[in-house]
């Protein structure tokens, strides 16, 4: 939309919202949130950017085609279940490592990888839908 | 580039605020994420300038909050009064500020403050059209805006 | 100390609720969409902002407070933009302000541009 | 605090024995298809590589399914509880013979369709996801067959459904959009009913694991809630399986997409519904099933008869085949209505047969369309001369679908007729035989019009005006991609017809497992109880 | 509580059925959107209701507070929401494309796949 | 006798199938001369069966077989006794000559190889039918004969008459086969056996059972259709559209006798009861009369033969039905005689057709000069058919009259009368076919008449001479073939003594003389009789053959009508039916169990909770009432919003969270799409439809709500959730139990869920992007050829 | 219960009641319109009320996790309004008859009220 007010403010909102979405993603295991909700917030962010600045900038911003991001997320989600093969436990068994980085214990786990996969799938697919629809509208 | 860096720091701070932890590792992570966020909007922020004169911003914010409360109270008075007699109108406000960022800021502040609401900016960015809920005298309103917000924005960001 | 905080929380909460009510009343009582926007964008934003702050005070936890403040800032950032967008779209498409609206600079501007 | 608690808790909550690598076969079909599908999407713009990538994964899919079937037939029900959580708490994939054989046959069909698609799907189709849709359709199909959790089954149903949407609209022609809209809305309704039933079932007995449901349902007194849930499952899956009177979606859509899509639909979609009916009604809710046996039998009979009548009424071969799919579903439902071991085995056998033969029929019809330039039996003719091999293959399939010996359709029909006679469902036996008769008539008509007749309907008798377009004219790829899948499927039809012993054993084992799930239950819940 | 919500859910279902039975495609879609909510509420209620306490384990505990809501239906509903949202998005775009291509928003007039004048099957041999 | 562990009998059964596969290749190389090579196969089979003759006539029986489907008790098993031996020898022996004849008849035909193939396939199937012991195996071969018959009748597939005849044969015999299947399955069920030989050993177990009549009727259904008994006879004359070798082989000598074979086979179990001896003679006699009468009416020689075949089959059924020893003997003899003479005569007619270009008996004459050999064998064969000494037909007729003429009961008199009339008419046809074309004045024919090649006359020669030899060596024939077979049918040893010259002047001789006299009278008045019959038939004006067309059209029309009613094409109707079924589905259990949930006092909701429910309801109503789509979308937002708040009130923050997001995004996407959708405010429904829909909606909502209430009033088992709560943090390291369920406890659900989301994205992309199928396809097809990917349209910007 | 807790409880209840009333008013505006922008504005207001409601529930239950829901509700609420605004604009720009009628109808209604 051709209003400078929105055009000016949208990128910052987008950056903030993406940040917030990652926050929601990462804390999902302990508080409300997780990959899906986080992904939806990110989608909202890109939707705002898309409405404000047009589709092409969003596509450029994402570098990869959103569907490819989504597919990568799915790949990652399925992949997250595989390490358990080598641990002789069933598919998708949560495996945890807690390395200490800079003095802080950080929990890394296959469920987290999986949740990130969920996030990417949601971001990719729904952004793809929104952008495709938006594109049609502007043609 | 320093502008970007600053915004990145700002985002890092926002991350710390949102997660409620200002530990080194979290801030580092926040910085990375902020960088990522900036990366996403790299086109749009590429030309914008960084903030300075933080204290003036704070003053602006304080005034703004005050005005917001004032404006809400005024709306309350209007709404609660048994009969509503108003002279609404859309006035053309000639802009002094000319940068996107400043125009946006001004327009938003105008909206949140008593009786005024930014409707549109002319294509040449010289005029802001403001809807006033009760505007017996347009010129008075224009002067008011010019003296309070626009001046302070100019002070804060130039 | 706790009780004082609790009282503050309660009052802020009620304050926020009242502002929300006022905004809603404005929505129903004012005459056209542009005027209603005044009510919603000001009283509405203030109302929900206050209530969030009440929650933050109640929590008395750094992470909650910072998040609540961040949220309020975000509302303050977005509320005027959405009001602006809505008003602009409505106006450009042809939803006329009510007949009380004596001055309409935008109308003149648009008709000037057309000719 | 957490440390010692964890150690204690793990013993109570999780499987502690190490999982043998072979057990991974129960999830392998899903991993293979899902990752393959994802990879295809990531590389979708390189349309020239799409078939190769998909082909690798489809071949792997067939391979793991073969391994899975042999594993299951050798060592009984194979269970893997995902995430190590004990059943019924985690999601258990529990694979019995029924699951394994259906999954295998489905994957063979997918392999064939994937190969056929190399030629039948153009670059646009590849670019917009033919292979990902196919692979993820298989995720849904295999997931539905292999999972041991009713809600998880719903999820795979949805994966299957959405992938089928994708396949259906690939091309975006008017007719496809129209067909897809009806297909989508009606199927959406069906899965919604499934979800409702599952929600209510959970509310009633508080569990989702199938083995656990089978156990807990027995402790529940018969009553309205359970009756309603059973009936709802019958409706939901009956709709999926295209049973009368809720099968509108099938004739409305099966003739609209590309032929390879119709082929995979005809093979798989309805059969997943049948599988779900077997699982829920026969295994989980046997009391409800026997209470509704008469109703199911009536539905079965009406389905088979209206199905074959629909086939008789068509001029478009694809539509006629769609109705034959429905008709076959009627026979499968009949087996469920009768409900004895051999009847259920008949249903299972019929399902296997139907998957293969219906897919093959559509694939061959694709060639008819290519060579005859139409799918309309009024416009076809002269193809006997054009391609005797095609005529022969189609004829074999016609006989197979009619249940004539010595092809795959014969045995399930015999089993079903025999069991209905034994259980005094004479009218069902009559209906099955009558349906076989009418099917012969309907496919025989198609065959003589398209192949024997010298030219289109308008051509004079004894003329040779049949339009024959050489395959090389409509093809850019290799003809082998069209012929190999057909040859493979037809030889399966013949092999199953001529040497059905293995299949008899498998479906027998499958049916026993469904009717008496005690082995299944102890395998799944053994660790927990 | 469940009874009260059951009534509400019944109303949701009734509304959505009425919409789904329309001929106008957009009304059908609205019905589909509502039926999704109805089903979600149904699953949620099936798992029994309890007020306000979410199934989130406090920082200093190992298990959620007593009387917290049943988490399983919530997880199920979440999955169902996501799926029904996806399907809804697809159906919406599909409906839109069908409308574009077929030139009508009346599903009864969408007769390309099954035209009203079905050809008669041939009678010869 | 074992050959590499495989019994040679199995090889004999399999051999024709192998030969069938080889035939096309041989024919491609050797053309019609492949016949010589291929005929060796049946000849060897014939030879193999001669090996059984001595043992079988000594009363031995062989059950040979191998396991096929042990799980289902289906064996690939065969039973050799007098009955099957003679049949097998007829099939293989005649088959050898038919293969030769085919080579001559279809010389130069492009599809000759295929023809050989089909003939050999048929031969193998027919062998299977008469040899099979296992009931399922028997049925399979039975149906295979129908299938091969279909292919052979339709061999001249470009002719509509051929196609009609082929599908008619398939429909009638295939349909009958299905009935037979039911009968065989029941037989197997009731007897507890799967092998025919075992069932035969049980003897009379069925005759007093309630199952007797149903099973008999089912088996007769198979036998009567296959053996063209009235009223199913019509397919057989039509099958004459097939090339003559087919008519000679399938439709006179062998396949059509499968039904008779079956009756004879099951005679020990079913035969010799009042029902049997009523039904079979009734249908057989009717068939005999109808067949001969219709035969006389024809002028096409092939059709004349065809109708007499019908008649002969009727005669055989009739005799089998009488069940006396003499009748059975007569049946066996007549079967042998008929196979020989009818096979020969068909080939003769084919040769005439081949040599002159016509089969119309009124358009040929005086051919004996041009076709002396053919004439000779035609004469011999028809002599047998006429039942004149010293041909086998004569002996057969004598014995059969002995069988029918048991003048103790009035109906036997009737049967005999029918037999006499039938035989007289066959006498007429025999002379009409054998003498009329050859004797008399020479008539100009489309082709100049010429004798056929050895391939063409070898068959008639062999068969007709066989008929003669068999009669002359009557005693041996009786000992080796007739007695064993008759004994097998009767299921006990018979003592048969055959003589060419009747030993006593008894009733049969008188009947024979009557037959001949009657035959001569009719022959002399043939044209008048023909006209008379034609007149009668015209006045009837309908026959089962038209009936077949009417039935098929009726079925197709009915199908079209029913399908049109069921699949009516209107989406709204589809949905209405679906919902109505759903309402019924839920209502019936509630009603049947009469368990209505109890309604407690007012639920204790707080004011704000009530208000949220109220908002939800208002939102719903607003959607329903919305004047246009825009308003509806906004109203949709209200109810979604309310639902999210409800989730929150009941302790589901994750749900509430997701619901807010999803509802908003739904509305956003809806708005994006709606920009281009026409939002006409009309609801297309008529008032009556609205009332119906409203009714369905209210009942649907009620039953769903009530069911849910009923469910929630049952004690809940929260085992699962207790488990999740307990271990969520301790093992899975997550405090948000819902999220832990999603990514860990039930992570696989989520895996499927993201697959759905991903596919949705792709599907929507495909929906939106593939816009002009024609243009895009052309472009991409071109791109296929030059093997370069086309540049991405629109989305190329990104990469 | 301490005084503070009691006080808060009362305040929360009062606020919830006030919010409930506000909800109803907002919904009324959405239902009666009369123009599309009115409805959208009311929906936006509804979101704001929802945020307040969530905050109140948070205070009531002592679960601060509701805060994040409130924030994201704000985020998507903004998105919804942006999308709707754009929607109005696009519909208007394609000269949709509906909108014009909608607008005229609203104007007439107001005219009648004067
Ligand atoms: Na989550
Ligand atoms: Na919403």
């Amino acid at each position: 939309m051709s209003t400078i007010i929105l055009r000016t403010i949208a990128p910052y909102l987008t950056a903030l919202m993406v940040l917030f979405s990652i926050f929601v993603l990462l804390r999902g295991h302990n508080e409300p949130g997780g990959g899906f909700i986080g992904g939806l917030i990110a989608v909202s962010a890109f939707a705002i950017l898309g409405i404000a600045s047009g589709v092409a900038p969003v596509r450029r911003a994402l570098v990869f085609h959103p569907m490819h991001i989504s597919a990568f997320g799915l790949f990652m989600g399925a992949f997250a279940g595989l390490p358990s093969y080598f641990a002789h436990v069933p598919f998708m068994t949560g495996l945890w490592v807690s390395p200490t980085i800079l003095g802080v214990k950080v929990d890394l786990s296959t469920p987290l990888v999986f949740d990130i996969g969920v996030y990417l799938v949601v971001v990719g697919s729904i952004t793809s839908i929104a952008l495709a629809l938006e594109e049609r509208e502007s043609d | 580039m320093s502008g970007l860096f600053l915004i990145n720091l700002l985002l890092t701070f926002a991350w710390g605020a949102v997660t409620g932890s200002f530990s080194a590792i979290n801030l580092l992570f926040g910085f990375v994420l902020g960088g990522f966020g900036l990366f996403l909007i790299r086109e749009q922020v590429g030309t914008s300038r960084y903030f300075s004169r933080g204290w003036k911003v704070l003053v602006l914010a304080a005034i703004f909050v005050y005005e917001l409360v004032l404006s809400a109270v005024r709306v309350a008075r209007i709404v609660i009064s048994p009969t509503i007699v108003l002279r609404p109108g859309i006035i053309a406000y000639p802009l002094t500020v000319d940068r996107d960022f400043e125009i946006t800021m001004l327009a938003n502040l105008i909206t949140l403050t008593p009786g005024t609401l930014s409707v549109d900016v002319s294509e040449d960015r010289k005029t802001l059209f403001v809807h006033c809920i009760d505007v017996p005298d347009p010129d008075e309103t224009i002067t008011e805006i010019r003296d309070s917000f626009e001046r302070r924005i100019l002070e804060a960001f130039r | 100390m706790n009780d004082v905080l609790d009282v503050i929380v309660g009052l802020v909460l009620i304050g926020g609720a009242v502002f929300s009510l006022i905004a809603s009343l404005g929505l129903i009582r004012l005459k056209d969409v542009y005027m209603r926007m005044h009510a919603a964008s000001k009283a509405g934003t203030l109302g929900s902002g206050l209530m969030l702050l009440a929650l933050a005070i109640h929590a008395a936890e750094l992470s909650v407070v910072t998040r609540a403040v961040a949220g309020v800032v975000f509302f303050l950032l977005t509320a005027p933009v959405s009001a602006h967008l809505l008003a602009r779209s409505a106006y450009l498409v042809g939803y006329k302000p009510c007949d009380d609206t004596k001055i309409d600079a935008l109308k003149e501007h648009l008709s000037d541009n057309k000719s | 605090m957490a440390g010692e608690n964890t150690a204690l808790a793990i013993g109570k909550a999780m499987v502690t024995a190490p999982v043998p690598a072979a057990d991974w076969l129960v999830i392998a079909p899903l991993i293979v298809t899902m990752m393959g599908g994802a990879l295809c999407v990531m590389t979708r713009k390189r349309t020239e590589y799409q078939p190769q990538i998909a082909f690798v994964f489809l071949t792997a899919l067939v391979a793991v399914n073969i391994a899975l079937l042999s594993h299951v037939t050798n060592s009984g029900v194979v269970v893997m509880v995902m995430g190590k959580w004990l059943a019924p708490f985690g999601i258990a994939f529990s694979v019995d013979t029924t699951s394994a054989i259906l999954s295998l046959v489905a994957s063979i069909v997918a392999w064939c369709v994937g190969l056929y698609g190399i030629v039948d799907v153009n670059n646009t189709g590849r670019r917009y996801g033919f292979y990902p849709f196919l692979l993820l359709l298989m995720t849904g199909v295999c997931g539905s067959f292999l999972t041991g959790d009713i809600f998880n089954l719903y999820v795979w149903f949805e994966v299957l459904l959405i992938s089928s949407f994708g396949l259906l609209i690939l091309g975006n022609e008017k007719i496809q959009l129209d067909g897809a809209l009806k297909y989508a809305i009606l199927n959406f309704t069906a899965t919604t009913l499934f979800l409702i039933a599952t929600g209510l079932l959970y509310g009633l007995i508080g569990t989702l694991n199938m083995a656990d449901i089978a156990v807990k349902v027995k402790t529940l007194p018969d009553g309205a809630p359970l009756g309603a849930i059973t009936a709802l499952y019958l409706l939901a899956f009956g709709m999926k399986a295209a049973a009368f009177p809720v099968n509108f979606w099938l004739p409305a859509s099966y003739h609209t997409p590309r032929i390879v899509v119709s082929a995979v639909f005809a093979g798989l979609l309805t059969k997943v519904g049948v599988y779900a009916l077997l699982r829920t009604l026969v295994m989980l809710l046997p009391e409800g099933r026997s209470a509704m046996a008469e109703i199911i039998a009536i539905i079965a009979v009406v389905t088979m008869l209206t199905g074959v009548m629909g086939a008789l009424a068509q001029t478009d071969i694809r539509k006629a085949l769609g109705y034959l799919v429905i008709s076959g579903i009627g026979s499968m439902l009949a087996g469920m209505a009768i409900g004895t071991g051999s009847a259920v085995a008949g249903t299972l056998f019929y399902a296997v047969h139907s998957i293969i033969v219906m897919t093959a029929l559509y694939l061959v019809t694709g060639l008819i369309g290519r060579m005859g330039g139409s799918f309309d039996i009024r416009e076809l003719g002269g193809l006997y001369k054009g391609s005797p091999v095609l005529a022969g293959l189609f004829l074999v399939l016609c006989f197979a679908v009619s249940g004539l010996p010595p092809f795959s359709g014969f045995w399930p029909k015999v089993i079903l007729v025999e069991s209905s006679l034994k259980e005094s469902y004479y009218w069902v036996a009559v209906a099955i035989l009558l349906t076989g008769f009418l099917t012969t008539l309907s496919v025989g008509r198609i065959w003589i019009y398209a192949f024997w007749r010298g030219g289109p309907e308008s051509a004079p008798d004894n003329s040779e005006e049949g339009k024959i377009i050489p395959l090389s004219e409509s093809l850019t790829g290799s003809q082998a991609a069209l012929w190999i899948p057909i040859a493979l499927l037809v030889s399966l039809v013949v092999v199953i017809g001529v040497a059905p012993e293995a299949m008899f054993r498998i479906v027998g084992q499958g049916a026993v497992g469904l009717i008496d799930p005690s082995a299944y239950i102890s395998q799944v819940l053994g660790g927990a109880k | 509580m469940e009874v009260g919500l059951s009534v509400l859910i019944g109303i949701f279902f009734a509304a959505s059925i009425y919409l789904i039975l329309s001929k106008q495609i957009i009304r059908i879609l609205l019905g589909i959107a509502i039926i999704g909510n109805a089903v979600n509420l149904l699953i949620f209620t099936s798992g029994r209701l309890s007020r306000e306490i979410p199934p989130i384990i406090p920082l200093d505990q190992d298990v959620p507070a007593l009387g917290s809501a049943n988490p399983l239906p919530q997880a199920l509903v979440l999955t169902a929401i996501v799926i029904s949202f996806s399907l809804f998005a697809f159906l919406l775009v599909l409906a839109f494309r069908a409308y574009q291509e077929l030139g009508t928003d009346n599903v009864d007039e969408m007769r390309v796949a099954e035209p009203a004048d079905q050809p008669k099957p041939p009678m010869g041999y | 006798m074992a050959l590499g562990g495989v019994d040679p009998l199995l090889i004999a059964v399999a051999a024709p199938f192998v030969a069938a596969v080889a035939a096309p290749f041989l024919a491609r190389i050797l053309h019609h001369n492949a016949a010589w090579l291929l005929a060796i196969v049946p000849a060897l089979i014939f030879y193999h069966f001669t090996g059984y003759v001595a043992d079988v006539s000594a009363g031995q029986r062989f059950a040979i077989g191998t396991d096929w489907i042990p799980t289902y008790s289906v064996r690939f098993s065969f039973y050799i006794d007098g009955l099957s031996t003679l049949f097998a020898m007829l099939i293989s022996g005649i088959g050898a000559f038919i293969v030769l004849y085919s080579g001559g008849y279809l010389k130069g035909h492009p599809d000759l190889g295929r023809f050989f193939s089909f003939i050999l396939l048929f031969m193998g199937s027919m062998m299977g039918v008469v040899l099979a012991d296992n009931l399922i195996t028997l049925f399979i071969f039975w149906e295979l004969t129908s299938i091969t018959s279909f292919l052979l009748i339709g061999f001249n597939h470009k002719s509509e008459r051929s196609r009609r005849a082929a599908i008619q044969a398939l429909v009638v015999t295939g349909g009958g086969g299905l009935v037979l299947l039911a009968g065989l399955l029941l037989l197997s069920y009731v007897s507890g056996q799967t092998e025919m030989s075992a069932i035969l050993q049980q003897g009379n177990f069925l005759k007093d059972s309630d199952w007797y009549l149903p099973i008999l009727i089912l088996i007769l259904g198979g036998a009567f259709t296959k053996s063209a008994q009235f009223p199913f006879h019509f397919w057989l004359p039509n099958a004459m559209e097939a090339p003559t070798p087919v008519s000679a082989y399938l439709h006179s000598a062998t396949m059509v006798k499968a039904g008779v074979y079956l009756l004879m086979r099951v005679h020990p179990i079913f035969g010799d009861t009042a029902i049997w001896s009523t039904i079979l003679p009734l249908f057989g006699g009717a068939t005999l009369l109808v067949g001969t009468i219709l035969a006389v009416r024809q002028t096409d020689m092939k059709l004349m033969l065809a109708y007499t075949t019908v008649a002969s089959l009727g005669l055989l059924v009739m005799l089998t039905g009488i069940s006396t020893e003499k009748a059975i003997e007569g049946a066996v003899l007549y079967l042998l005689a008929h196979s020989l003479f009818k096979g020969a005569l068909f080939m003769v007619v084919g040769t005439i057709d081949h040599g002159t270009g016509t089969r119309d008996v009124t358009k040929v004459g005086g051919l004996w000069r041009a076709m002396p050999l053919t004439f000779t064998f035609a004469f011999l064969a028809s002599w047998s058919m006429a039942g004149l000494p010293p041909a086998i037909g004569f002996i057969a007729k004598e014995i059969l009259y002995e069988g029918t003429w048991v003048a103790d009961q009035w109906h036997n008199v009737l049967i005999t009368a029918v037999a006499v009339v039938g035989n007289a008419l066959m006498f007429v046809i025999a002379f009409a076919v054998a003498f009329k074309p050859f004797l008399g004045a020479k008539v100009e024919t489309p082709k100049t008449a010429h004798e056929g090649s050895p391939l063409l006359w070898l068959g008639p020669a062999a068969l007709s001479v066989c008929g003669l030899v068999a009669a002359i060596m009557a005693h041996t024939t009786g000992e080796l073939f007739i007695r064993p077979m008759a004994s097998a049918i009767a299921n006990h040893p018979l003592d048969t003594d055959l003589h060419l010259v009747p030993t006593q002047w008894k009733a049969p001789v008188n009947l024979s003389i009557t037959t001949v006299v009657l035959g001569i009278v009719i022959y002399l008045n043939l044209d008048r009789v023909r006209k008379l019959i034609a007149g009668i038939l015209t006045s009837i004006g309908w026959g089962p053959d038209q009936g077949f067309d009417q039935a098929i059209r009726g079925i197709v029309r009915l199908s079209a009508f029913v399908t049109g009613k069921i699949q009516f094409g209107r989406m709204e109707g589809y949905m209405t039916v679906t919902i109505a079924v759903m309402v019924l589905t839920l209502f019936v259990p509630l009603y049947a169990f009469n368990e209505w949930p109890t309604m407690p006092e007012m639920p204790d909701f707080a004011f704000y909770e009530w208000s949220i429910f109220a908002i939800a309801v208002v939102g719903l109503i607003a959607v329903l009432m919305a004047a246009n789509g825009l308003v509806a979308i906004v109203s949709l937002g209200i109810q979604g919003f309310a639902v999210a708040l409800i989730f929150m009130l009941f302790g589901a923050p994750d749900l509430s969270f997701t619901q807010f997001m999803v509802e908003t995004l739904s509305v956003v996407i809806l708005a994006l799409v709606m920009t281009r959708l026409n939002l006409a405010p009309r609801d297309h429904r008529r008032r009556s439809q609205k009332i119906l829909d409203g009714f369905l909606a209210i009942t649907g909502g009620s039953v769903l709500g009530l069911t849910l209430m009923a469910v929630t009033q049952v004690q809940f088992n929260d085992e699962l959730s207790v488990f999740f709560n307990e271990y969520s943090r301790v093992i899975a390291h997550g405090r948000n139990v819902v999220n832990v369920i999603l990514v860990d406890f039930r992570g696989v659900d989520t895996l499927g869920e993201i697959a759905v989301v991903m596919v949705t994205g792709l599907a929507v992309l495909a929906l939106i992007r593939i816009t002009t199928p024609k243009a895009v396809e052309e472009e991409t097809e071109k791109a296929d050829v030059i093997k370069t990917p086309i540049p991405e349209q629109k989305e190329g910007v990104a990469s | 219960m301490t005084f503070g807790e009691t006080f808060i409880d009362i305040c929360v209840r009062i606020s919830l009641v006030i919010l409930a009333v506000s909800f109803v008013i907002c919904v009324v505006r959405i239902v009666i319109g009369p123009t599309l922008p009115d409805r959208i504005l009311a929906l936006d207001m509804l979101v704001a009320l929802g945020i307040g409601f969530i905050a109140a529930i948070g205070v009531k239950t002592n679960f601060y996790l509701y805060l994040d829901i409130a924030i994201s509700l704000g985020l998507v609420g903004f998105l919804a309004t942006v999308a709707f605004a754009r929607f109005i604009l696009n519909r208007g720009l394609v000269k949709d008859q509906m909108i014009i009628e909608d607008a005229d109808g609203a104007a007439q209604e107001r005219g009648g009220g004067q």
Side-chain angles (χ1 to χ4, degrees), chain A residues 33-34, chain F residues 654 739 742:
Chain F
D654 274 290
N739 186 269
L742 285 176

Side-chain angles (χ1 to χ4, degrees), chain F residues 364-384:
Chain F
V364 284
L367 289 174
W368 69 276
R369 268 176 216 286
M371 313 174 81
L373 285 171
T374 309
F375 170 61
T376 309
F377 305 129
F379 179 80
L380 274 181
S382 56
W383 202 255
S384 183

Side-chain angles (χ1 to χ4, degrees), chain F residues 440-536:
Chain F
K442 192 162 185 332
V443 177
E444 213 41 51
T445 52
K447 280 203 260 178
T448 315
H450 59 87
E451 186 59 276
S453 69
L455 284 170
L456 287 176
W457 56 253
L458 259 176
L463 298 186
S464 55
V465 170
C466 265
L468 195 63
V469 171
I472 292 166
M473 300 171 64
H475 181 72
T476 319
T477 310
E479 275 306 299
L480 291 181
F481 300 109
I482 309 303
R483 193 175 50 78
M485 178 159 161
S487 305
I489 297 168
N491 211 22
H492 58 83
L494 303 179
D495 44 334
T496 306
D497 192 17
L498 290 188
H499 302 281
L500 177 56
V501 183
T503 46
Q504 289 166 293
W505 190 277
K506 287 202 296 195
V509 184
N510 293 328
L511 290 171
S512 281
I513 293 170
T514 317
T515 307
V516 173
V517 172
L518 188 61
I520 292 172
V521 171
I522 299 176
Y523 184 74
L524 294 176
N525 296 292
L526 189 53
D527 286 341
R528 233 177 285 167
V529 174
R530 209 175 262 158
K531 261 181 212 147
L532 178 71
I533 297 171
I536 293 169

Side-chain angles (χ1 to χ4, degrees), chain A residues 40-100:
Chain A
L40 286 184
I41 295 175
V43 171
S44 312
F46 292 122
I48 289 175
L49 188 62
I51 293 175
S53 317
V55 172
V58 180
R59 287 202 187 282
R60 285 199 296 275
L62 288 171
V63 181
F64 300 104
H65 190 282
M67 267 327 293
H68 300 187
I69 294 175
S70 173
F72 180 73
L74 180 61
F75 192 88
M76 198 167 157
F79 185 82
L82 292 185
S84 44
Y85 178 85
F86 303 98
H88 302 290
V89 288
F91 183 63
M92 282 192 95
T93 302
L95 299 176
W96 294 75
V97 286
S98 303
T100 308

Side-chain angles (χ1 to χ4, degrees), chain D residues 202-217:
Chain D
Y202 171 71
L204 194 61
I205 59 176
T207 189
L208 298 165
N209 179 288
M210 288 179 185
D212 202 29
I213 293 172
V215 172
K216 289 200 171 123
V217 159

